[in-house]
Each structure stands twice: as C-alpha cells, then as structure tokens.
C-alpha cells in the first residue's frame, strides 16, 4: 500500500485496469471481459476529479483519459466501491486496540497478571482501564469490589464488559465517582449491591455511565481519531457511521475536517442526552461538509444478548427475566417525535424482539403525527424480531442496521437462552424479502471489524474455522445482497452530495482494492483476502 501511495502523488486522474470490477449490480454476473494483468484487455475504470468518469474496455478508456492519467494495475485483484461501516465506535475501537484486554482466559488471575504488567508504568493516581470482560465466563462472585481492590488498591480500575453495556470498578474508582450505598440507580440502569446494601462494583447499562464518563483520557482526541481512521482504511472502509458519544470526538472530527485531514466520510451520531442541546442550537441532519455530517440521534431501547438485558416479549429460557427497557417505550416515542420536529434523524438500539417493537412503535407515532424524518429512521442490531414486525420496516421506511459478525459471536448463546425463537434471529433474508432496507456494520470494538468478515458471515452464516453448519441456513444472503448492504445502501441513507456505492460513471470514486475477486474465491476463504488500497474522492492519500 505504501508503494502505491507514493505512485499516487501528482496524478490528475487514474485508470484502473488489470482486475475485475465488482459492485452489487455486477455481483450476479461475470465480468464483461476477462482481466489480463498488465495487459490491454478487460473492463477498466477511469477516475478524474474524484468522480468515476467512464467504465469500459481498457483501450477505449486510454484514449478518453489522455495525458496526465496514471495507470493503476489491480494486479489480478478486484475493485469494489468503498466499504461503509454503518455502525462503529471509531475512537473507542482504537482505545480497545491499545488498552490491555482480557482474551480467552477469563479469570481473576489473568486480570491480575494484566494489571501487574501495566501497573509498573502508571503515574500516581492514574486510572487503569482493562477491556474484554465476558459476563458468562465468570462466576458471579469472582469480581466483587474486594477482589478488584486486592488486585490494585492504589489506582482507580475500570473493567469494561466486552459488549460495552456494563463495567466493574474497584473501590478507588467508585469513591472518585461518588458511587455509594445511597447512590440511586439511573433509569435504565442497575447498581449491583451486596447483602449489606453496598455496591459490589458492577454497574449495568445506564449505571455504567456513573463511572465510564469520569475516566480521563490523556491522548489528543484529533490524533486518536486520525489513527482510528488509518486503521479503518486498512480494512477497506471509506465511510463510517460513527456512534461514539464523546463531545471531544465531535470536536476532533471538525478539527480534522477543517484541516483537510479527515481521510474518510464520517456520519456522526448525536447521543440522546444531547437532544436538547441539538434542538437549542438548531442542528439538522446532514449539516456539515462532504466528509463530515451530523447523523441521527442515538437512543437505546434495551441492552444486549450477552448480558441478558436485551428486552424480550417472553422470558429468557428457564428464567423469569425479560431484559431491561433502557429507555421506556413512552420516552422513546416522546424523544423520537421531538427529534423529527427538530429536523433530526433517529437511530434506536434494539436487540430483543420487544425492544424492536418499541422502536418501530416510536417511529410510527412520529409518522402518524404527520412528521417526516430527514433521513430514513434506523433500528440498530435487530438481533431478534417478531414475525408481525418484519413487514413494518418497509411500511414505515425504517432501516435495519445489522452487524453480521454478531451472528458468529452470539449464535450459540442465542440458541441457549432464546431457544426456538432463534428462527427469528439475524433474519436478514426475511427482512429483505419484505423489502426492508439493510445496512451492514461491525459495532467495533464490541465485535470484530472488517467488511470481508461481515460478507462471509452474511453469505455462509457460520465461521468456517468453528462451525460446520449454517445458523438457520434459510436466512443466508447472496453476495450481491450482502455487498449492497455494505457499500451502496448506507451511502444512500447518509445523503452525501455525491452518489456513492456503485462503479458507474458520475458516481464518486470512493474505492477499495482487494487482492482477489470475491466471485472467484470460495466464501469460506473470504476472510483470508487482503485489502490492497483504499481511495476516498479519488485519492489514496491519508494526510498526516
């Protein structure tokens, strides 16, 4: 990639050749002509001024291009429209890459070993954050506050759950954040307490913010965001719908955009807690530039599958638990109506079937009042959906914003605690047949990022390294369907000024170069493919 970026400097335009062109429309058919590496045949693509100028035979495009057009040899690979990650937490993902994290060994001993290694470099009073705690891998009594205090008594310690919906904190962290036996749990959250009424250190859902919001960061926010962009570009991502909530992240994005250093297109959501401020300032969906725009207001209807806080119509298998309504249904409706009146789009996190119903009810309430959203409203995740709600997505014009990698992570747990209901889980084919709009993302860092992994999961519905059988094979997607959800549909709903997501004349030159064609590679091998280069607006440069 470095060599090709050196080649890119100073070119007035680019002629891509020597590979195959692949977008959602082409995925169902073979290339127009067989590519010849470095030769004169095959389909080629001409880019000038950040826009695709022409597509066709290489010899003809060479004549059209004229002087100043540089050839770009795909070397037998494939050129696809730039991937969109339609649900990611960019800076949080970068921090997870850098912070110490628990892996497969989910034990107090492994945590203590991580802490000891990091403790040597901590300054007095410095906070320590550790990532990757998996609730079901630990006995309930293993992480009480006293255990954490023994591991590291002199520094505030926060242990983040892998799904991001709860934290553990030691006594020092709880004290600094003012969390005591008398602290009331916020609506939609739980402060776990022992038999004496004292906090155990476990803060769930909205209660996690009592500590999470107080953890200081020493890094420069703009440099963190730029580094996250570099990592995203390495995965072939040219556009992201970013759901990080921190105000500093918004300022950082604006700083990078102002300085010409924002090397991808970024749709930044607004947290529900900032809805009032957005109304007061008169923010509208789509405000910004061709690289950075105001996105939807993000609300939470429920929790997660992994924490058994996803809100269900009937209890989890063998329990009386139906999950947590992080935002009550009436409040969801009220805030959704407010957002629509203010000219803002809305995205609602909903994993359980009751939460999905509550989200759709909120959108229907706004529509029934004659309100129009400036961009299609979205339900994020939709891991379980009621049969009666499948058709409502199309009828109401609501996007299904899903993360295929969640299927691989959660399928075994879903079968265990949702039982026969899993026939309605990750039901992308059923939703597409009902004409729902489908977007794909990763939810990184709460799951693995990477569009190639997502495409593989959507087409196979299994991890080739772990599973021999597809999870509800009737819900498998074709490559074209999966590709459209990762390159074309999310661009359309974001409303960029240039059309993006197809390899067609007049469409924007946001492009990803793969080292092999997906169509000629078995889906079981897609995770082994490499991203060779990424282009945004006709440039593969990443400004420093």
């Amino acid at each position: 990639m470095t060599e090709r970026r050196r080649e890119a400097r100073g070119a007035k335009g680019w002629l891509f050749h020597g590979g195959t062109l692949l977008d959602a429309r082409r995925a169902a058919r073979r290339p127009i002509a067989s590519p010849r590496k470095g030769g004169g045949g095959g389909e080629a693509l001409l880019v000038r001024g950040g826009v695709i100028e022409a597509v066709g035979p290489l010899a003809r495009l060479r004549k059209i291009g004229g002087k100043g057009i540089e050839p770009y040899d795909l070397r037998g690979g494939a050129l696809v429209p730039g991937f969109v990650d339609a649900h990611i937490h960019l800076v949080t993902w970068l921090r997870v890459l850098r912070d110490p994290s628990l892996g497969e060994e989910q034990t107090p001993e492994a945590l203590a070993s991580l802490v000891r290694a990091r403790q040597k470099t901590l300054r007095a009073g410095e906070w320590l954050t550790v990532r990757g705690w998996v609730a079901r891998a630990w006995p309930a009594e293993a992480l009480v506050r006293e255990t954490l205090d023994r591991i590291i008594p002199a520094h505030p310690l926060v242990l983040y759950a892998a799904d991001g919906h709860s934290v553990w904190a030691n006594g020092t962290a709880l004290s600094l954040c003012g969390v005591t036996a008398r602290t009331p749990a916020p609506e939609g959250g739980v402060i776990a307490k022992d038999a004496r009424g004292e906090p155990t250190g476990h803060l769930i859902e909205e209660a996690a913010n009592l500590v999470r919001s107080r953890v200081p960061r020493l890094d420069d926010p703009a440099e963190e965001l730029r580094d996250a962009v570099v990592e995203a570009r390495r995965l072939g991502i040219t556009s992201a719908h970013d759901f990080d909530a921190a105000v500093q992240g918004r300022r950082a994005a604006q700083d990078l955009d102002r300085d010409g250093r924002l090397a991808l297109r970024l749709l930044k959501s607004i947290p529900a807690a900032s809805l009032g401020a957005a109304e007061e300032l008169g923010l509208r969906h789509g405000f910004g530039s061709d690289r950075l725009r105001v996105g939807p207001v993000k609300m939470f209807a429920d929790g997660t599958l992994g924490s058994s806080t996803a809100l269900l119509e009937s209890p989890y298998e063998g329990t009386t638990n139906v999950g947590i309504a992080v935002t009550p249904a009436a409040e969801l409706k009220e805030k959704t109506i407010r957002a629509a009146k203010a000219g803002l789009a809305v995205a609602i996190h909903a994993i359980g079937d009751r939460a999905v119903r509550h989200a759709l009810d909120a959108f229907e309430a706004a529509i029934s009042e004659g309100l129009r959203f400036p961009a299609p409203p979205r339900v994020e995740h939709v891991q379980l959906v009621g049969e009666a709600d499948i058709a409502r997505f199309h009828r109401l014009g609501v996007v299904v914003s899903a993360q295929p990698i969640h299927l691989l992570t959660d399928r075994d747990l879903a079968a265990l605690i949702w039982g026969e209901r899993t026939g309605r889980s990750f039901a992308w084919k059923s939703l597409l047949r009902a004409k729902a709009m489908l977007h794909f993302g990763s939810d990184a860092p709460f799951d693995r990022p990477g569009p190639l992994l997502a495409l593989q999961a959507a087409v196979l519905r299994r991890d080739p390294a772990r599973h021999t059988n597809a999870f509800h094979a009737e819900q498998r997607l074709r490559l074209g369907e999966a590709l459209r959800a990762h390159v074309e549909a999310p661009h359309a709903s974001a409303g960029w000024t240039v059309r993006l997501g197809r390899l067609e004349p007049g469409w924007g030159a946001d492009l990803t170069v793969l080292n092999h064609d997906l169509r000629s590679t078995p889906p079981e091998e897609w995770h082994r493919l490499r991203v060779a280069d990424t282009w945004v607006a006709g440039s593969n440069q990443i400004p420093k």
Side-chain angles (χ1 to χ4, degrees), residues 342-427:
L344 294 166
V346 175
I348 299 178
H349 165 116
I351 287 179
D353 51 2
R354 181 182 292 187
V356 171
R357 177 166 58 85
H358 286 177
L360 293 172
D361 289 347
F363 296 136
E364 190 160 28
I367 293 168
S368 68
E369 291 197 11
L371 297 171
R372 297 183 64 182
F373 293 96
R378 307 161 48 140
V379 183
E380 306 298 318
H381 311 308
V382 195
Q383 289 191 9
L384 187 65
V385 60
E387 292 286 355
D389 286 327
I390 289 175
R392 295 178 73 195
F393 280 91
H394 172 65
R395 178 166 61 82
L396 297 172
V398 176
V399 166
V400 177
S401 177
Q403 297 73 43
I405 199 69
H406 285 345
L407 179 147
L408 304 185
T409 302
D410 291 341
R411 57 177 275 178
D412 295 337
L413 180 58
L416 178 66
I417 64 178
W418 285 352
E420 293 182 357
R421 285 171 284 192
T422 56
R424 299 184 276 111
S425 63
F426 311 102

Side-chain angles (χ1 to χ4, degrees), residues 318-334:
T319 77
T320 58
N321 173 39
V322 294
I324 292 178
V326 172
T327 306
E331 186 179 341
L332 272 183
K333 290 180 181 179
E334 182 265 331

Side-chain angles (χ1 to χ4, degrees), residues 93-133:
W93 171 47
L94 180 77
R95 291 173 178 176
V96 169
L97 291 175
R98 293 177 173 178
D99 284 345
S101 181
L102 288 169
E104 294 295 324
E105 191 179 354
Q106 294 274 329
T107 65
E109 292 76 22
L111 175 61
S113 178
L114 271 179
V115 169
R116 281 194 298 269
R118 194 62 176 261
Q119 193 171 359
K120 299 173 184 177
T121 64
L122 293 177
R123 295 180 291 274
E126 186 176 350
W127 290 64
L128 177 60
T129 56
V130 177
R131 311 274 178 171
W133 173 69

